[in-house]
């Protein structure tokens, strides 16, 4: 069991773009010794941190980009203020000559880190005008038997500098480069299901009239491939639609290559994704794997650890030769 070893894990999360791209780090010690790197504003990231903070095997300390992020983390997780340190890792330079940059720009507490969890995602903002237009259509839609609000009629945009290419590709590459600089051995990356469908509407969200600033699934896929080629051990998790339902109440179903997209129900609890992140750290051994995940009703609910362990025994993993051109 990996949990009999001592190792460090860094955890990257960026699911809320109320601030520019940031880098927050949590360090937690056990008989496993973990470090987490995150921007903590995201709901999924906060759930993972909470799991580790409440687990007696872990001693968590957060390194966040700003005092605002630190306050959010403390408020969301009830962790102690002294467990949080402010620092911005995304501004670090790793590839310049030693005389051009600080040779050790990160806190020494992160040295000897062995694993990292990344849950990075650009988040679009809804157009208020499109929302008003959709609300005005509600009475007519109801009378004609249509959905009150059609989500795909809404318009979205990303804040400047916070579009998918910047956050989901360039930002994740920076995190992976940082992992290599630290000597990290294992990265857990939370991405998204549905990438193999070139017409997936998620890629259209946030695009301007010239077709720029969208394609979130394509940029996520490119970051995944960068990780696969990094030489590091990886666990890549592709959740279906994230919902805020109670975790551990649905049967977790794992598969690969968007097979689960054919199901009627393609959602999964954020809490279950958080549980899978933790399970990936303790159950993966030395294996690299990439898989999709959703939840379904079931009589026998297995834990995330049991589900992942069973899936790993099948030897399945995503085929990165698949996908639309440009991926």
């Amino acid at each position: 069991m990996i949990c009999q070893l001592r190792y460090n894990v860094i955890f990257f999360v960026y699911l809320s773009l109320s601030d520019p791209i940031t880098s927050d780090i949590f360090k937690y010690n056990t008989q496993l010794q973990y470090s987490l790197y995150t921007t903590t504003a995201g709901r999924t990231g906060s759930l993972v941190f909470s799991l580790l903070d409440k687990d007696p095997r872990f001693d968590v300390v957060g390194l966040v980009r700003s005092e605002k992020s630190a306050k959010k983390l403390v408020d969301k997780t009830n962790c102690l203020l002294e467990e949080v340190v402010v620092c911005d890792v995304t501004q670090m330079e790793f590839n310049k000559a030693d005389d051009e940059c600080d040779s050790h720009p990160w806190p020494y507490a992160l040295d000897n880190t062995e694993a990292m969890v990344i849950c990075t995602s650009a988040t679009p903002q809804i157009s208020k005008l499109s929302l008003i237009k959709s609300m005005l259509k509600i009475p007519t839609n109801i009378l004609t038997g249509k959905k009150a609000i059609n989500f795909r009629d809404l318009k979205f945009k990303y804040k400047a500098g916070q579009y998918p290419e910047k956050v989901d590709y360039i930002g994740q590459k920076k995190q992976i480069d940082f992992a290599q600089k630290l000597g990290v051995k294992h990265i857990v990356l939370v991405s998204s299901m549905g990438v193999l469908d070139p017409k997936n509407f998620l890629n259209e969200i946030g695009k301007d009239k010239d077709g720029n600033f969208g394609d979130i699934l394509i940029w996520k896929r490119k970051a995944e491939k960068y990780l696969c080629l990094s030489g590091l051990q990886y666990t890549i998790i592709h959740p279906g639609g994230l919902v805020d339902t109670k975790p551990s109440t649905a049967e977790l179903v794992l598969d690969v290559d968007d097979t689960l997209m054919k199901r009627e129900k393609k959602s999964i609890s954020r809490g279950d994704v958080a549980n899978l992140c933790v399970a990936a750290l303790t159950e993966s051994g030395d294996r690299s794997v990439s898989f999709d995940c959703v939840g379904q009703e079931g009589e026998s609910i297995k834990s995330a650890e049991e589900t992942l362990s069973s899936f790993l025994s099948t030897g399945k993993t995503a085929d990165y030769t698949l996908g639309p051109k440009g991926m």
Side-chain angles (χ1 to χ4, degrees):
M1 288 287 292
I2 293 181
C3 59
Q4 299 303 314
L5 305 176
R6 292 183 63 84
Y7 67 96
N8 293 335
V9 179
I10 288 187
F11 179 49
F12 288 77
V13 177
Y14 198 78
L15 293 177
S16 172
L17 291 183
S18 55
D19 297 321
I21 298 176
T22 61
S23 307
D24 297 353
I25 301 176
F26 294 110
K27 177 171 182 188
Y28 53 96
N29 301 314
T30 78
Q31 291 175 338
L32 306 157
Q33 199 179 42
Y34 285 128
S35 298
L36 274 69
Y37 182 165
T38 180
T39 48
T40 71
R43 284 173 287 176
T44 306
S46 297
L47 287 172
V48 179
F49 177 74
S50 293
L51 286 176
L52 296 166
D53 192 35
K54 294 173 182 177
D55 192 316
R57 298 174 300 172
F58 303 94
D59 178 21
V60 186
V61 176
L63 178 57
V64 298
R65 173 189 172 272
S66 66
E67 292 182 2
K68 181 179 178 181
S69 295
K71 186 177 185 303
K72 283 183 180 180
L73 177 60
V74 172
D75 291 343
K76 281 188 175 183
T77 66
N78 293 318
C79 68
L80 300 175
L81 185 59
E82 54 265 33
E83 292 179 305
V84 185
V85 179
V86 177
C87 181
D88 188 351
V89 177
T90 60
Q91 301 304 313
M92 296 178 186
E93 295 291 346
F94 308 124
N95 299 319
K96 291 184 178 180
D98 290 342
D99 57 350
E100 296 180 22
C101 63
D102 184 351
S103 61
H104 201 291
W106 60 88
Y108 283 92
L110 298 179
D111 287 347
N112 301 315
T113 295
E114 295 188 26
M116 175 184 292
V117 181
I118 304 175
C119 305
T120 305
S121 184
T123 304
Q125 294 183 319
I126 191 170
S127 163
K128 293 180 180 178
L129 180 59
S130 73
L131 180 59
I132 292 172
K133 287 181 178 179
S134 294
M135 292 180 69
L136 291 174
K137 292 180 180 179
I138 290 177
T140 302
N141 289 343
I142 292 176
L143 288 173
T144 56
K146 298 178 181 178
K147 290 182 179 179
I149 294 181
N150 186 343
F151 177 78
R152 300 193 185 196
D153 287 340
L154 300 174
K155 305 297 181 184
F156 296 83
K157 63 180 179 179
Y158 296 97
K159 286 186 177 181
Q162 298 180 11
Y163 42 87
E165 180 183 6
K166 180 73 172 177
V167 176
D168 294 274
Y169 180 55
I170 297 173
Q172 287 190 8
K173 283 179 62 181
K174 183 80 171 183
Q175 296 164 24
I176 294 166
D177 291 342
F178 180 46
Q180 291 178 308
K181 189 72 174 179
L182 281 174
V184 164
K185 298 175 182 177
H186 182 194
I187 289 183
V188 179
L189 171 63
V190 178
S191 188
S192 180
M193 199 166 70
V195 69
L196 298 183
D197 179 6
K199 296 181 180 179
N200 193 304
F201 80 98
L202 291 177
N203 287 324
E204 301 303 313
I205 290 177
K207 279 188 177 180
D208 63 12
K209 60 182 180 180
D210 297 319
N212 299 317
F213 307 122
D215 294 327
I216 187 168
L217 296 180
I218 292 175
W219 292 114
K220 284 180 179 292
R221 184 73 162 187
K222 289 184 176 182
E224 291 176 33
K225 287 188 174 182
Y226 187 81
L227 173 57
C228 292
L229 296 172
S230 69
L232 300 172
Q233 179 192 347
Y234 58 83
T235 302
I236 300 174
I237 302 172
H238 303 125
L242 294 172
V243 294
D244 294 316
T245 54
K246 189 176 180 180
S248 304
T249 58
E251 179 184 350
L252 294 177
V253 182
L254 311 186
D255 212 323
V256 298
D257 301 331
D258 280 352
T259 301
L260 300 178
M261 290 294 291
K262 300 173 185 176
R263 288 173 167 256
E264 182 177 351
K265 181 181 178 182
K266 298 182 280 289
S267 61
I268 184 170
S269 164
R270 292 179 187 275
D272 283 330
V273 174
N275 286 331
L276 282 169
C277 287
V278 178
L281 297 172
T282 61
E283 304 300 318
S284 296
D286 59 357
R287 289 166 291 186
S288 288
V289 66
S290 177
F291 61 87
D292 308 338
C293 55
V294 298
Q296 70 174 16
E297 293 184 4
E299 296 182 359
S300 178
I301 309 299
K302 295 181 179 179
S303 68
E305 288 81 5
E306 290 176 301
T307 303
L308 180 57
S309 180
S310 177
F311 176 78
L312 288 171
S313 69
T314 69
K316 285 186 177 181
T317 191
D319 182 355
Y320 281 92
T321 66
L322 302 177
K325 264 190 173 181
M327 287 191 183

